[in-house]
Amino acid sequence: MFAERTQLALDLVGVFFFAVTGALLAARKGFDVVASALLAGMTGLGGGVIRDLIIGVRPAALEHPVYLAPVVLAAGVVYLYYPHVPRFRRTLLLFDAAGLGLFCVTGTEKALAAGVPAVSAALLGVTSAVGGGLLRDVVAREVPSLFRYDDIYALPAMTGAAATAVLWRLDALSVWTGVTASVVTFALRALAVRYGWRAPLAYRRQAPDG
Amino acid sequence: MFAERTQLALDLVGVFFFAVTGALLAARKGFDVVASALLAGMTGLGGGVIRDLIIGVRPAALEHPVYLAPVVLAAGVVYLYYPHVPRFRRTLLLFDAAGLGLFCVTGTEKALAAGVPAVSAALLGVTSAVGGGLLRDVVAREVPSLFRYDDIYALPAMTGAAATAVLWRLDALSVWTGVTASVVTFALRALAVRYGWRAPLAYRRQAPDG
Amino acid sequence: MFAERTQLALDLVGVFFFAVTGALLAARKGFDVVASALLAGMTGLGGGVIRDLIIGVRPAALEHPVYLAPVVLAAGVVYLYYPHVPRFRRTLLLFDAAGLGLFCVTGTEKALAAGVPAVSAALLGVTSAVGGGLLRDVVAREVPSLFRYDDIYALPAMTGAAATAVLWRLDALSVWTGVTASVVTFALRALAVRYGWRAPLAYRRQAPDG
């Protein structure tokens, strides 16, 4: 649905921002620069690879080694500038949110293009958006940010992915509507961070007499 | 080998019971309701998806979004009734055992139907039965119940999966023999819990002079 | 590129040595013998299975149940001889290094044979070599040895995999050059252990004025 070049450019930008979060975690945990690049790669490429394995297509990152460029760039940037990064924490959360916005839309679109039912395509879009971060947190032994009760992470991605699937069903998915869905996802995530939004817990707290 | 409707019904029941264990863990860990649904989905669908990826077929849950219904139901039931659930701990272990019994048989059968050698099919049956729980424990940072020395979890699944493969080799796998294998697996697991059965440790304790 | 029998023999030897590291970890963590076999299997077969899933071919271990023999053997050897093993710690690190050397070369070769671009093939070779150990450490809740700052693990595998891909591009990959690449990888890893080599950290330490 998107032109191939547009798709590739969006992908590489998304991979870069997620890869930065992996390299930053590696730096915080005292890993070496090789582990930093490996963790950056798992974070930036993991979500898309899991999606492609489930769909049953060969991962784009495998066919096009250019996908490794943003990973290496991310590890390099963190290597050179890590001590300055904490000042930019807000900027980074925004970049992560931009990655989330991009991947939930492009991931859903790729699944739809592979002939997956719309509901499953939306879930694969969410998988693309949150899978790399989950892999990063699990292999680095962190509490997955996906599961933190004090933050809303998956819901904006679900919203963007569902919107993409609905647009497609209405035959209204284009670069412009897709970008709009990305921006809305980005904005929801940014607002959730800014205002500390939370979702209800996994169980209903009941009154003593309840 | 099973009628398609029978297969689907057994699958949905198995997914539901495993999904409940995921949602319960989410509640115990203080995750929010979205994380609860995600963890329920990984637990209920994870084992089958891993099996299907290894076989090389598109996961059934992807083609039939109805597989999401038991996941949402499980998260909803835990959301509404969590404070009452601890009273039912024994019931829950039995339900988990029922899921184990179902999945080791249906998982082996699906692998055999895909033309996998019998030994590998039995192992994929075990993977279907224990994979979702392993994924649940790993992403939620728990000691995998699969590895607990004070409990027998994998052995009943191995027994049921091996029995299914043997029945198939003897051309005797039908709904009735399959259900019998499920029930035997269920009973072995239930007895292991009831009587605290343990397997030998990973190394032989030797006498001081040994 | 290698004769099928040679390939199989190299694979089984590599699986055995990695499987031993899984069974040893199971013994150290107090798991039972079934969990030991499961962890040995994940360690010995995990890297190759992940590689094959990404390439999109059915894992060799699935088609040829003989791949289970070294796994069972490893769990059995550790069961019988664990208390004696610590004396052989150096031997074991060497065996692990031999597995690393074998898998980074054969993994790269299998990916090249499947028509993957050379750069991606080298990365899949690294995945084959380090994937099983990463899976072992993650499911057993250990700090992944892949990420330890005080040890060099991934770099020798990267060197061997890159050398294999370059040899292939130069049309010079044969059993003899492949074995040479394996031996060089093994030697690099063994020297890294012997002399405590380290890679630079994920970020540049800067002078106070930097």
Side-chain angles (χ1 to χ4, degrees):
Chain A
M1 279 155 257
F2 301 155
E4 211 169 307
R5 290 209 142 204
T6 314
Q7 178 73 63
L8 184 63
L10 294 175
D11 271 8
L12 295 180
V13 171
V15 169
F16 174 73
F17 290 122
F18 277 131
V20 166
T21 69
L24 279 173
L25 183 59
R28 263 184 239 127
K29 309 254 325 179
F31 295 165
D32 68 31
V33 72
V34 177
S36 171
L38 291 173
L39 197 58
M42 290 184 209
T43 313
L45 305 174
V49 168
I50 295 170
R51 176 201 61 222
D52 287 344
L53 292 185
I54 293 178
I55 295 177
V57 301
R58 200 171 266 195
L62 193 73
E63 299 289 356
H64 306 291
V66 67
Y67 276 86
L68 300 175
V71 171
V72 172
L73 185 64
V77 165
V78 168
Y79 177 73
L80 292 174
Y81 299 113
Y82 178 65
H84 305 293
V85 169
R87 297 183 205 157
F88 301 119
R89 189 174 172 273
R90 186 177 302 180
T91 317
L92 266 164
L93 279 170
L94 292 180
F95 283 167
D96 182 80
L100 197 75
L102 280 173
F103 275 17
C104 70
V105 172
T106 59
T108 305
E109 191 269 334
K110 285 185 187 183
L112 288 166
V116 168
V119 172
S120 307
L123 272 174
L124 286 171
V126 174
T127 304
S128 313
V130 307
L134 181 60
L135 198 59
R136 173 198 65 211
D137 294 339
V138 166
V139 302
R141 304 174 83 225
E142 291 287 299
V143 180
S145 55
L146 181 60
F147 292 148
R148 295 184 58 137
Y149 76 94
D150 57 354
D151 197 10
I152 284 192
Y153 194 84
L155 269 183
M158 287 172 170
T159 308
T164 306
V166 167
L167 285 168
W168 177 82
R169 287 289 280 263
L170 299 175
D171 217 4
L173 185 59
S174 68
V175 172
W176 299 112
T177 56
V179 165
T180 305
S182 278
V183 170
V184 168
T185 304
F186 165 81
L188 285 174
R189 169 71 184 143
L191 290 169
V193 170
R194 176 69 185 77
Y195 293 103
W197 289 349
R198 297 185 182 189
L201 289 184
Y203 61 98
R204 196 172 47 160
R205 284 174 201 282
Q206 290 173 310
D209 294 330
Chain B
M1 279 155 257
F2 300 155
E4 210 169 307
R5 288 211 145 202
T6 314
Q7 179 72 64
L8 184 62
L10 294 174
D11 271 8
L12 295 180
V13 171
V15 169
F16 175 72
F17 290 123
F18 277 131
V20 166
T21 70
L24 280 173
L25 183 59
R28 261 184 241 128
K29 310 253 326 177
F31 295 165
D32 67 32
V33 72
V34 176
S36 171
L38 291 173
L39 196 59
M42 290 184 208
T43 312
L45 305 174
V49 167
I50 295 169
R51 176 201 62 222
D52 288 343
L53 292 185
I54 293 178
I55 295 176
V57 301
R58 201 172 266 196
L62 193 73
E63 298 289 355
H64 306 291
V66 68
Y67 275 86
L68 300 176
V71 171
V72 171
L73 185 64
V77 165
V78 168
Y79 177 72
L80 293 175
Y81 300 113
Y82 178 65
H84 305 293
V85 169
R87 298 182 205 156
F88 302 119
R89 191 175 169 274
R90 186 177 302 180
T91 316
L92 265 164
L93 279 170
L94 292 180
F95 284 166
D96 182 80
L100 198 74
L102 280 172
F103 274 18
C104 71
V105 173
T106 58
T108 304
E109 190 269 336
K110 284 185 188 184
L112 288 167
V116 168
V119 173
S120 306
L123 272 174
L124 286 171
V126 174
T127 305
S128 312
V130 308
L134 182 60
L135 198 58
R136 173 198 66 211
D137 294 339
V138 166
V139 303
R141 306 174 81 224
E142 291 286 299
V143 180
S145 54
L146 181 61
F147 293 148
R148 294 183 61 137
Y149 75 95
D150 57 356
D151 197 11
I152 284 192
Y153 194 84
L155 268 184
M158 287 173 169
T159 309
T164 305
V166 168
L167 285 168
W168 177 82
R169 287 290 281 264
L170 300 175
D171 216 4
L173 184 59
S174 67
V175 173
W176 299 112
T177 57
V179 165
T180 306
S182 277
V183 169
V184 168
T185 304
F186 165 81
L188 286 174
R189 170 70 185 142
L191 290 169
V193 169
R194 175 71 185 74
Y195 293 103
W197 289 350
R198 297 185 182 189
L201 288 184
Y203 61 97
R204 197 172 47 160
R205 284 173 199 282
Q206 290 173 311
D209 294 330
Chain C
M1 277 156 257
F2 301 155
E4 211 169 307
R5 288 209 145 204
T6 314
Q7 178 72 62
L8 184 63
L10 293 175
D11 271 7
L12 294 180
V13 171
V15 169
F16 175 72
F17 290 123
F18 277 131
V20 166
T21 69
L24 280 172
L25 182 59
R28 262 184 241 127
K29 308 251 333 174
F31 295 165
D32 67 32
V33 72
V34 177
S36 171
L38 291 172
L39 196 59
M42 289 184 209
T43 313
L45 305 174
V49 167
I50 295 170
R51 176 202 62 223
D52 287 344
L53 292 185
I54 293 177
I55 295 176
V57 301
R58 202 172 264 196
L62 193 73
E63 298 290 356
H64 306 291
V66 68
Y67 275 86
L68 300 176
V71 171
V72 172
L73 185 64
V77 165
V78 168
Y79 177 72
L80 292 175
Y81 301 113
Y82 178 65
H84 304 293
V85 169
R87 298 183 204 157
F88 301 118
R89 190 175 171 274
R90 187 178 301 180
T91 317
L92 267 164
L93 278 170
L94 291 180
F95 284 166
D96 182 80
L100 197 75
L102 280 173
F103 274 18
C104 72
V105 172
T106 59
T108 304
E109 190 269 336
K110 284 185 188 185
L112 288 166
V116 167
V119 173
S120 306
L123 272 174
L124 285 171
V126 174
T127 305
S128 312
V130 308
L134 181 60
L135 198 58
R136 172 197 67 211
D137 295 338
V138 166
V139 302
R141 304 174 82 223
E142 291 287 298
V143 179
S145 54
L146 180 62
F147 293 147
R148 293 182 61 136
Y149 76 95
D150 57 354
D151 196 11
I152 284 192
Y153 194 85
L155 268 183
M158 287 173 171
T159 308
T164 305
V166 167
L167 285 168
W168 177 81
R169 287 289 281 262
L170 300 175
D171 217 4
L173 183 59
S174 67
V175 172
W176 299 112
T177 56
V179 166
T180 306
S182 277
V183 170
V184 168
T185 304
F186 165 81
L188 285 174
R189 170 70 185 143
L191 290 169
V193 170
R194 174 72 184 75
Y195 294 103
W197 288 349
R198 297 186 182 188
L201 289 184
Y203 61 98
R204 197 172 47 161
R205 284 173 200 281
Q206 289 174 310
D209 295 329

